[in-house]
Amino acid sequence: MSFEFKPNVRLNPFGPTVWHEFTPLADKYSAVNLGQGFPNFTGPSFVVEAAKTAMDQGINQYARSAGHPRLVKALSKLYSPLYSREIDPLNQIVVTVGASEGIFAAMQGLISPGDEVVLMEPFFDIYIGAVTMAGGIPKYVPLKPKAKHITSAADLVIDQEDLEKAITDKTRVLLLNNPQNPTGKAFSYQELEMIANVVKKHPHLVVVSDEVYEWLMFDDVPHIRMQLFLACGRGVSPLAALERLSVALVGRLDGVLDQIKLLPRLHVPISSFLSAWLLLFKRQWQSDSKLL
């Protein structure tokens, strides 16, 4: 009896990634590779030395699944002042193997098959994979030029009517990237306020804010954190879940509502050769939800 192996049907929409296409072409023609963001320089020497010291001291065993206590305490110390609130390092921060894994885990934990996820075009292409592998249905809201001639990414804006039309009773996640890849757009206070006001109308909707480029701001443009905006009295109570993702050495996910607890329960392989944390989220919506 013959058997034809077929991969998971959720893999059907996927073809070669931009990295698989552009990197070989750049190598073939000795071109500058703009398809990937890897640096052409080594990391800081103090980081390398710290890693060597840790290995020499035998600090090379499994860490706490949600992040080594020293690490999450350092992250809490860094981010608590930035968010104007105390972040509980042991309960509100989860360390992942890069932001890509964090986003993937977030989609696995937040959406069920058939749920819709709003993506703002153009977007980082891993978002599609994270959404569809969780059984989600992407819904697209394009950035549109606000003027005839575009001089910077700031001239690309989200139309409120487009955003409202994209949200239905099936929408569970709005995935926001600020600053945005690939345009470099940094959302303004007014734009984030508009998005928050739209989200406020939908108690079933959760925002995942990918702010991996928060430290790469130029021209004195301030980075406005979505959760800090909400904590300033703009109170969108359902705007919950995962607000910090970073790709530097590790990724971070921290819950921003006491109704939404990040519960790292399963230690499973998400990407090749890496152990990952699949996060389970318990959504306890209440009509009088309050931010921490």
Side-chain angles (χ1 to χ4, degrees):
M1 180 177 177
S2 62
F3 174 77
E4 180 183 0
F5 173 80
K6 294 183 178 180
N8 190 312
V9 294
R10 282 179 286 189
L11 296 178
N12 291 342
F14 301 112
T17 67
V18 293
W19 302 296
H20 289 115
E21 294 184 35
F22 280 87
T23 299
L25 287 172
D27 292 339
K28 181 178 179 180
Y29 295 102
S30 299
V32 176
N33 185 1
L34 300 180
Q36 287 183 266
F38 54 80
N40 61 355
F41 52 87
T42 60
S45 59
F46 73 89
V47 174
V48 176
E49 291 303 318
K52 291 180 181 178
T53 300
M55 295 299 291
D56 290 340
Q57 294 177 353
I59 307 175
N60 53 18
Q61 298 300 312
Y62 289 116
R64 171 178 170 268
S65 293
H68 193 286
R70 285 185 62 190
L71 174 58
V72 295
K73 288 177 182 178
L75 294 172
S76 174
K77 184 177 180 180
L78 171 65
Y79 280 97
S80 289
L82 297 177
Y83 285 85
S84 300
R85 63 183 177 90
E86 286 299 318
I87 298 175
D88 184 342
L90 299 180
N91 292 300
Q92 292 181 292
I93 296 177
V94 176
V95 177
T96 64
V97 187
S100 295
E101 184 221 335
I103 292 169
F104 185 89
M107 295 302 104
Q108 292 289 327
L110 285 172
I111 63 178
S112 300
D115 287 345
E116 296 175 353
V117 177
V118 174
L119 302 175
M120 299 181 182
E121 294 184 299
F123 49 80
F124 188 37
D125 64 349
I126 69 160
Y127 291 172
I128 286 290
V131 170
T132 56
M133 288 300 290
I137 301 172
K139 295 292 183 178
Y140 307 107
V141 177
L143 287 168
K144 294 181 176 180
K146 65 180 181 181
K148 185 176 181 180
H149 300 289
I150 298 176
T151 60
S152 74
D155 294 328
L156 298 172
V157 297
I158 290 294
D159 182 83
Q160 181 173 344
E161 184 176 352
D162 289 345
L163 179 59
E164 291 179 335
K165 287 181 178 178
I167 299 173
T168 71
D169 290 340
K170 295 182 179 180
T171 308
R172 292 296 175 267
V173 171
L174 187 154
L175 184 47
L176 175 68
N177 187 196
N178 180 40
Q180 195 201 44
N181 181 359
T183 66
K185 175 182 175 58
F187 285 85
S188 69
Y189 185 97
Q190 291 74 22
E191 289 175 306
L192 293 177
E193 181 179 41
M194 181 274 288
I195 293 171
N197 286 336
V198 171
V199 170
K200 186 177 181 180
K201 302 174 185 178
H202 305 278
H204 56 277
L205 180 57
V206 169
V207 168
V208 174
S209 185
D210 177 0
E211 302 183 21
V212 65
Y213 301 110
E214 66 171 331
W215 304 111
L216 299 179
M217 303 294 288
F218 300 100
D219 299 327
D220 298 321
V221 176
H223 173 61
I224 304 173
R225 297 174 176 83
M226 192 60 158
Q227 173 53 24
L228 182 61
F229 166 81
L230 297 173
C232 289
R234 301 291 174 174
V236 181
S237 57
L239 195 56
L242 317 170
E243 212 281 325
R244 264 300 308 145
L245 302 176
S246 176
V247 77
L249 298 177
V250 296
R252 297 184 294 280
L253 304 171
D254 66 286
V256 298
L257 281 188
D258 54 359
Q259 285 81 8
I260 299 223
K261 306 297 184 183
L262 297 180
L263 305 175
R265 298 283 179 85
L266 303 178
H267 194 269
V268 298
I270 287 182
S271 56
S272 299
F273 310 113
L274 290 175
S275 292
W277 295 270
L278 178 62
L279 307 180
L280 302 181
F281 303 89
K282 182 181 180 181
R283 285 179 279 182
Q284 302 175 337
W285 303 116
Q286 298 178 356
S287 59
D288 59 345
S289 298
K290 297 180 179 179
L291 289 168
L292 287 175

mmCIF file of all heavy atoms in Angstrom, residues 16-54:
data_model
loop_
_atom_site.group_PDB
_atom_site.id
_atom_site.type_symbol
_atom_site.label_atom_id
_atom_site.label_comp_id
_atom_site.label_asym_id
_atom_site.label_seq_id
_atom_site.Cartn_x
_atom_site.Cartn_y
_atom_site.Cartn_z
ATOM 1 N N PRO A 16 9.057 30.560 -1.078
ATOM 2 C CA PRO A 16 10.365 31.015 -0.606
ATOM 3 C C PRO A 16 10.258 32.398 0.033
ATOM 4 O O PRO A 16 9.514 33.257 -0.428
ATOM 5 C CB PRO A 16 11.201 31.068 -1.889
ATOM 6 C CG PRO A 16 10.507 30.158 -2.848
ATOM 7 C CD PRO A 16 9.047 30.263 -2.518
ATOM 8 N N THR A 17 11.006 32.615 1.094
ATOM 9 C CA THR A 17 11.000 33.917 1.756
ATOM 10 C C THR A 17 11.905 34.892 1.003
ATOM 11 O O THR A 17 12.698 34.496 0.148
ATOM 12 C CB THR A 17 11.496 33.798 3.207
ATOM 13 O OG1 THR A 17 12.885 33.450 3.191
ATOM 14 C CG2 THR A 17 10.721 32.720 3.963
ATOM 15 N N VAL A 18 11.795 36.159 1.354
ATOM 16 C CA VAL A 18 12.653 37.158 0.722
ATOM 17 C C VAL A 18 14.123 36.877 1.008
ATOM 18 O O VAL A 18 15.001 37.184 0.191
ATOM 19 C CB VAL A 18 12.294 38.584 1.187
ATOM 20 C CG1 VAL A 18 10.924 38.975 0.676
ATOM 21 C CG2 VAL A 18 12.353 38.695 2.706
ATOM 22 N N TRP A 19 14.407 36.260 2.162
ATOM 23 C CA TRP A 19 15.790 35.964 2.505
ATOM 24 C C TRP A 19 16.349 34.875 1.595
ATOM 25 O O TRP A 19 17.494 34.923 1.191
ATOM 26 C CB TRP A 19 15.881 35.551 3.973
ATOM 27 C CG TRP A 19 15.360 36.609 4.880
ATOM 28 C CD1 TRP A 19 15.872 37.870 5.067
ATOM 29 C CD2 TRP A 19 14.198 36.537 5.706
ATOM 30 N NE1 TRP A 19 15.123 38.569 5.961
ATOM 31 C CE2 TRP A 19 14.082 37.785 6.386
ATOM 32 C CE3 TRP A 19 13.256 35.552 5.969
ATOM 33 C CZ2 TRP A 19 13.058 38.052 7.281
ATOM 34 C CZ3 TRP A 19 12.236 35.816 6.860
ATOM 35 C CH2 TRP A 19 12.148 37.057 7.506
ATOM 36 N N HIS A 20 15.513 33.867 1.292
ATOM 37 C CA HIS A 20 15.958 32.802 0.399
ATOM 38 C C HIS A 20 16.188 33.315 -1.019
ATOM 39 O O HIS A 20 16.976 32.736 -1.769
ATOM 40 C CB HIS A 20 14.929 31.661 0.377
ATOM 41 C CG HIS A 20 14.880 30.863 1.636
ATOM 42 N ND1 HIS A 20 13.777 30.826 2.457
ATOM 43 C CD2 HIS A 20 15.810 30.084 2.231
ATOM 44 C CE1 HIS A 20 14.018 30.054 3.503
ATOM 45 N NE2 HIS A 20 15.242 29.595 3.396
ATOM 46 N N GLU A 21 15.505 34.363 -1.383
ATOM 47 C CA GLU A 21 15.642 34.897 -2.736
ATOM 48 C C GLU A 21 16.768 35.923 -2.838
ATOM 49 O O GLU A 21 17.611 35.859 -3.745
ATOM 50 C CB GLU A 21 14.319 35.537 -3.175
ATOM 51 C CG GLU A 21 13.174 34.535 -3.339
ATOM 52 C CD GLU A 21 11.916 35.186 -3.869
ATOM 53 O OE1 GLU A 21 12.052 36.116 -4.687
ATOM 54 O OE2 GLU A 21 10.820 34.776 -3.473
ATOM 55 N N PHE A 22 16.797 36.879 -1.924
ATOM 56 C CA PHE A 22 17.728 37.994 -2.059
ATOM 57 C C PHE A 22 19.159 37.642 -1.654
ATOM 58 O O PHE A 22 20.119 38.145 -2.269
ATOM 59 C CB PHE A 22 17.244 39.197 -1.237
ATOM 60 C CG PHE A 22 16.171 39.992 -1.923
ATOM 61 C CD1 PHE A 22 14.833 39.654 -1.786
ATOM 62 C CD2 PHE A 22 16.499 41.070 -2.727
ATOM 63 C CE1 PHE A 22 13.845 40.373 -2.424
ATOM 64 C CE2 PHE A 22 15.511 41.799 -3.369
ATOM 65 C CZ PHE A 22 14.186 41.450 -3.226
ATOM 66 N N THR A 23 19.330 36.810 -0.636
ATOM 67 C CA THR A 23 20.686 36.497 -0.187
ATOM 68 C C THR A 23 21.502 35.774 -1.260
ATOM 69 O O THR A 23 22.652 36.174 -1.529
ATOM 70 C CB THR A 23 20.647 35.680 1.112
ATOM 71 O OG1 THR A 23 19.991 36.456 2.129
ATOM 72 C CG2 THR A 23 22.050 35.340 1.583
ATOM 73 N N PRO A 24 20.977 34.732 -1.906
ATOM 74 C CA PRO A 24 21.751 34.110 -2.992
ATOM 75 C C PRO A 24 22.031 35.074 -4.144
ATOM 76 O O PRO A 24 23.109 35.026 -4.744
ATOM 77 C CB PRO A 24 20.846 32.955 -3.449
ATOM 78 C CG PRO A 24 19.993 32.644 -2.277
ATOM 79 C CD PRO A 24 19.746 33.972 -1.630
ATOM 80 N N LEU A 25 21.057 35.951 -4.454
ATOM 81 C CA LEU A 25 21.277 36.921 -5.527
ATOM 82 C C LEU A 25 22.379 37.913 -5.161
ATOM 83 O O LEU A 25 23.218 38.278 -6.004
ATOM 84 C CB LEU A 25 19.975 37.667 -5.836
ATOM 85 C CG LEU A 25 18.893 36.870 -6.580
ATOM 86 C CD1 LEU A 25 17.598 37.670 -6.647
ATOM 87 C CD2 LEU A 25 19.363 36.510 -7.988
ATOM 88 N N ALA A 26 22.370 38.361 -3.906
ATOM 89 C CA ALA A 26 23.412 39.288 -3.465
ATOM 90 C C ALA A 26 24.784 38.633 -3.527
ATOM 91 O O ALA A 26 25.771 39.263 -3.936
ATOM 92 C CB ALA A 26 23.111 39.776 -2.048
ATOM 93 N N ASP A 27 24.855 37.360 -3.137
ATOM 94 C CA ASP A 27 26.127 36.643 -3.205
ATOM 95 C C ASP A 27 26.569 36.446 -4.647
ATOM 96 O O ASP A 27 27.758 36.601 -4.981
ATOM 97 C CB ASP A 27 26.001 35.288 -2.504
ATOM 98 C CG ASP A 27 25.823 35.426 -1.001
ATOM 99 O OD1 ASP A 27 26.184 36.493 -0.457
ATOM 100 O OD2 ASP A 27 25.339 34.468 -0.375
ATOM 101 N N LYS A 28 25.609 36.111 -5.516
ATOM 102 C CA LYS A 28 25.927 35.825 -6.913
ATOM 103 C C LYS A 28 26.496 37.050 -7.623
ATOM 104 O O LYS A 28 27.443 36.943 -8.407
ATOM 105 C CB LYS A 28 24.668 35.334 -7.632
ATOM 106 C CG LYS A 28 24.890 34.989 -9.096
ATOM 107 C CD LYS A 28 23.615 34.460 -9.737
ATOM 108 C CE LYS A 28 23.836 34.133 -11.212
ATOM 109 N NZ LYS A 28 22.584 33.605 -11.841
ATOM 110 N N TYR A 29 25.918 38.212 -7.355
ATOM 111 C CA TYR A 29 26.318 39.416 -8.080
ATOM 112 C C TYR A 29 27.169 40.373 -7.228
ATOM 113 O O TYR A 29 27.400 41.516 -7.619
ATOM 114 C CB TYR A 29 25.071 40.153 -8.575
ATOM 115 C CG TYR A 29 24.295 39.351 -9.605
ATOM 116 C CD1 TYR A 29 23.143 38.670 -9.239
ATOM 117 C CD2 TYR A 29 24.729 39.261 -10.920
ATOM 118 C CE1 TYR A 29 22.424 37.921 -10.173
ATOM 119 C CE2 TYR A 29 24.025 38.517 -11.867
ATOM 120 C CZ TYR A 29 22.872 37.851 -11.482
ATOM 121 O OH TYR A 29 22.162 37.110 -12.408
ATOM 122 N N SER A 30 27.605 39.906 -6.050
ATOM 123 C CA SER A 30 28.429 40.721 -5.148
ATOM 124 C C SER A 30 27.751 42.064 -4.856
ATOM 125 O O SER A 30 28.389 43.127 -4.877
ATOM 126 C CB SER A 30 29.820 40.959 -5.760
ATOM 127 O OG SER A 30 30.490 39.732 -5.951
ATOM 128 N N ALA A 31 26.478 41.992 -4.610
ATOM 129 C CA ALA A 31 25.691 43.202 -4.363
ATOM 130 C C ALA A 31 25.540 43.442 -2.859
ATOM 131 O O ALA A 31 25.751 42.540 -2.043
ATOM 132 C CB ALA A 31 24.306 43.065 -5.000
ATOM 133 N N VAL A 32 25.175 44.665 -2.518
ATOM 134 C CA VAL A 32 24.848 44.973 -1.127
ATOM 135 C C VAL A 32 23.529 44.282 -0.792
ATOM 136 O O VAL A 32 22.537 44.460 -1.502
ATOM 137 C CB VAL A 32 24.729 46.495 -0.915
ATOM 138 C CG1 VAL A 32 24.280 46.795 0.517
ATOM 139 C CG2 VAL A 32 26.059 47.173 -1.212
ATOM 140 N N ASN A 33 23.514 43.501 0.245
ATOM 141 C CA ASN A 33 22.333 42.716 0.604
ATOM 142 C C ASN A 33 21.425 43.538 1.512
ATOM 143 O O ASN A 33 21.701 43.731 2.688
ATOM 144 C CB ASN A 33 22.755 41.423 1.303
ATOM 145 C CG ASN A 33 21.569 40.510 1.587
ATOM 146 O OD1 ASN A 33 20.429 40.831 1.244
ATOM 147 N ND2 ASN A 33 21.837 39.379 2.202
ATOM 148 N N LEU A 34 20.334 44.030 0.934
ATOM 149 C CA LEU A 34 19.348 44.783 1.712
ATOM 150 C C LEU A 34 18.188 43.899 2.154
ATOM 151 O O LEU A 34 17.209 44.374 2.694
ATOM 152 C CB LEU A 34 18.815 45.962 0.881
ATOM 153 C CG LEU A 34 19.858 46.986 0.434
ATOM 154 C CD1 LEU A 34 19.206 48.090 -0.387
ATOM 155 C CD2 LEU A 34 20.586 47.572 1.633
ATOM 156 N N GLY A 35 18.302 42.607 1.905
ATOM 157 C CA GLY A 35 17.216 41.694 2.247
ATOM 158 C C GLY A 35 17.239 41.240 3.681
ATOM 159 O O GLY A 35 16.262 40.715 4.191
ATOM 160 N N GLN A 36 18.370 41.411 4.357
ATOM 161 C CA GLN A 36 18.492 40.985 5.745
ATOM 162 C C GLN A 36 19.131 42.080 6.576
ATOM 163 O O GLN A 36 19.890 42.910 6.052
ATOM 164 C CB GLN A 36 19.323 39.706 5.854
ATOM 165 C CG GLN A 36 18.592 38.466 5.357
ATOM 166 C CD GLN A 36 19.419 37.218 5.537
ATOM 167 O OE1 GLN A 36 20.120 36.797 4.639
ATOM 168 N NE2 GLN A 36 19.318 36.605 6.696
ATOM 169 N N GLY A 37 18.839 42.050 7.870
ATOM 170 C CA GLY A 37 19.336 43.103 8.743
ATOM 171 C C GLY A 37 20.488 42.686 9.620
ATOM 172 O O GLY A 37 20.689 43.278 10.670
ATOM 173 N N PHE A 38 21.239 41.659 9.215
ATOM 174 C CA PHE A 38 22.328 41.242 10.099
ATOM 175 C C PHE A 38 23.497 42.221 10.004
ATOM 176 O O PHE A 38 23.813 42.728 8.934
ATOM 177 C CB PHE A 38 22.793 39.819 9.777
ATOM 178 C CG PHE A 38 23.170 39.575 8.343
ATOM 179 C CD1 PHE A 38 24.412 39.968 7.850
ATOM 180 C CD2 PHE A 38 22.287 38.963 7.489
ATOM 181 C CE1 PHE A 38 24.765 39.746 6.530
ATOM 182 C CE2 PHE A 38 22.620 38.740 6.163
ATOM 183 C CZ PHE A 38 23.855 39.133 5.680
ATOM 184 N N PRO A 39 24.148 42.487 11.137
ATOM 185 C CA PRO A 39 25.257 43.452 11.144
ATOM 186 C C PRO A 39 26.520 42.839 10.561
ATOM 187 O O PRO A 39 26.699 41.619 10.558
ATOM 188 C CB PRO A 39 25.430 43.769 12.630
ATOM 189 C CG PRO A 39 24.960 42.522 13.318
ATOM 190 C CD PRO A 39 23.843 41.978 12.479
ATOM 191 N N ASN A 40 27.406 43.681 10.086
ATOM 192 C CA ASN A 40 28.704 43.216 9.574
ATOM 193 C C ASN A 40 29.808 43.504 10.572
ATOM 194 O O ASN A 40 30.964 43.686 10.203
ATOM 195 C CB ASN A 40 29.005 43.849 8.213
ATOM 196 C CG ASN A 40 29.081 45.370 8.299
ATOM 197 O OD1 ASN A 40 28.819 45.954 9.349
ATOM 198 N ND2 ASN A 40 29.436 46.004 7.195
ATOM 199 N N PHE A 41 29.437 43.566 11.851
ATOM 200 C CA PHE A 41 30.411 43.795 12.909
ATOM 201 C C PHE A 41 30.064 42.897 14.084
ATOM 202 O O PHE A 41 28.942 42.403 14.197
ATOM 203 C CB PHE A 41 30.410 45.264 13.342
ATOM 204 C CG PHE A 41 29.052 45.796 13.697
ATOM 205 C CD1 PHE A 41 28.540 45.656 14.981
ATOM 206 C CD2 PHE A 41 28.272 46.421 12.730
ATOM 207 C CE1 PHE A 41 27.281 46.133 15.309
ATOM 208 C CE2 PHE A 41 27.005 46.896 13.046
ATOM 209 C CZ PHE A 41 26.505 46.757 14.333
ATOM 210 N N THR A 42 31.034 42.655 14.932
ATOM 211 C CA THR A 42 30.812 41.783 16.079
ATOM 212 C C THR A 42 30.083 42.531 17.189
ATOM 213 O O THR A 42 29.983 43.760 17.168
ATOM 214 C CB THR A 42 32.144 41.253 16.618
ATOM 215 O OG1 THR A 42 32.963 42.357 17.025
ATOM 216 C CG2 THR A 42 32.878 40.458 15.548
ATOM 217 N N GLY A 43 29.609 41.783 18.169
ATOM 218 C CA GLY A 43 28.926 42.390 19.298
ATOM 219 C C GLY A 43 29.894 43.090 20.229
ATOM 220 O O GLY A 43 31.124 42.963 20.090
ATOM 221 N N PRO A 44 29.380 43.855 21.200
ATOM 222 C CA PRO A 44 30.240 44.563 22.155
ATOM 223 C C PRO A 44 31.152 43.594 22.900
ATOM 224 O O PRO A 44 30.728 42.497 23.287
ATOM 225 C CB PRO A 44 29.243 45.234 23.100
ATOM 226 C CG PRO A 44 27.972 45.316 22.321
ATOM 227 C CD PRO A 44 27.954 44.112 21.437
ATOM 228 N N SER A 45 32.381 43.991 23.107
ATOM 229 C CA SER A 45 33.355 43.110 23.743
ATOM 230 C C SER A 45 32.936 42.716 25.156
ATOM 231 O O SER A 45 33.190 41.591 25.599
ATOM 232 C CB SER A 45 34.730 43.794 23.774
ATOM 233 O OG SER A 45 34.667 45.025 24.475
ATOM 234 N N PHE A 46 32.255 43.634 25.889
ATOM 235 C CA PHE A 46 31.872 43.308 27.275
ATOM 236 C C PHE A 46 30.807 42.217 27.303
ATOM 237 O O PHE A 46 30.753 41.432 28.255
ATOM 238 C CB PHE A 46 31.396 44.557 28.018
ATOM 239 C CG PHE A 46 30.043 45.071 27.621
ATOM 240 C CD1 PHE A 46 28.885 44.616 28.245
ATOM 241 C CD2 PHE A 46 29.924 46.020 26.612
ATOM 242 C CE1 PHE A 46 27.638 45.101 27.888
ATOM 243 C CE2 PHE A 46 28.677 46.503 26.237
ATOM 244 C CZ PHE A 46 27.532 46.048 26.866
ATOM 245 N N VAL A 47 29.995 42.145 26.244
ATOM 246 C CA VAL A 47 28.995 41.081 26.171
ATOM 247 C C VAL A 47 29.684 39.743 25.902
ATOM 248 O O VAL A 47 29.357 38.721 26.522
ATOM 249 C CB VAL A 47 27.961 41.385 25.066
ATOM 250 C CG1 VAL A 47 27.009 40.204 24.887
ATOM 251 C CG2 VAL A 47 27.180 42.643 25.409
ATOM 252 N N VAL A 48 30.640 39.743 24.998
ATOM 253 C CA VAL A 48 31.389 38.527 24.689
ATOM 254 C C VAL A 48 32.135 38.036 25.926
ATOM 255 O O VAL A 48 32.124 36.839 26.251
ATOM 256 C CB VAL A 48 32.378 38.787 23.527
ATOM 257 C CG1 VAL A 48 33.237 37.553 23.274
ATOM 258 C CG2 VAL A 48 31.624 39.170 22.258
ATOM 259 N N GLU A 49 32.771 38.961 26.628
ATOM 260 C CA GLU A 49 33.524 38.582 27.829
ATOM 261 C C GLU A 49 32.593 38.055 28.915
ATOM 262 O O GLU A 49 32.944 37.107 29.641
ATOM 263 C CB GLU A 49 34.328 39.773 28.343
ATOM 264 C CG GLU A 49 35.484 40.183 27.449
ATOM 265 C CD GLU A 49 36.462 39.047 27.203
ATOM 266 O OE1 GLU A 49 36.775 38.310 28.176
ATOM 267 O OE2 GLU A 49 36.917 38.885 26.056
ATOM 268 N N ALA A 50 31.431 38.665 29.059
ATOM 269 C CA ALA A 50 30.471 38.190 30.065
ATOM 270 C C ALA A 50 30.015 36.777 29.748
ATOM 271 O O ALA A 50 29.847 35.949 30.660
ATOM 272 C CB ALA A 50 29.274 39.140 30.125
ATOM 273 N N ALA A 51 29.809 36.481 28.469
ATOM 274 C CA ALA A 51 29.406 35.129 28.064
ATOM 275 C C ALA A 51 30.515 34.122 28.376
ATOM 276 O O ALA A 51 30.251 33.019 28.883
ATOM 277 C CB ALA A 51 29.067 35.105 26.580
ATOM 278 N N LYS A 52 31.761 34.510 28.088
ATOM 279 C CA LYS A 52 32.888 33.624 28.395
ATOM 280 C C LYS A 52 32.980 33.363 29.894
ATOM 281 O O LYS A 52 33.183 32.224 30.329
ATOM 282 C CB LYS A 52 34.180 34.259 27.898
ATOM 283 C CG LYS A 52 34.323 34.327 26.386
ATOM 284 C CD LYS A 52 35.647 34.988 26.028
ATOM 285 C CE LYS A 52 35.815 35.105 24.518
ATOM 286 N NZ LYS A 52 37.102 35.793 24.182
ATOM 287 N N THR A 53 32.830 34.416 30.679
ATOM 288 C CA THR A 53 32.919 34.273 32.132
ATOM 289 C C THR A 53 31.835 33.347 32.659
ATOM 290 O O THR A 53 32.082 32.485 33.512
ATOM 291 C CB THR A 53 32.806 35.653 32.811
ATOM 292 O OG1 THR A 53 33.867 36.489 32.354
ATOM 293 C CG2 THR A 53 32.861 35.521 34.323
ATOM 294 N N ALA A 54 30.628 33.509 32.144
ATOM 295 C CA ALA A 54 29.511 32.666 32.582
ATOM 296 C C ALA A 54 29.782 31.205 32.250
ATOM 297 O O ALA A 54 29.527 30.313 33.077
ATOM 298 C CB ALA A 54 28.220 33.139 31.923
#
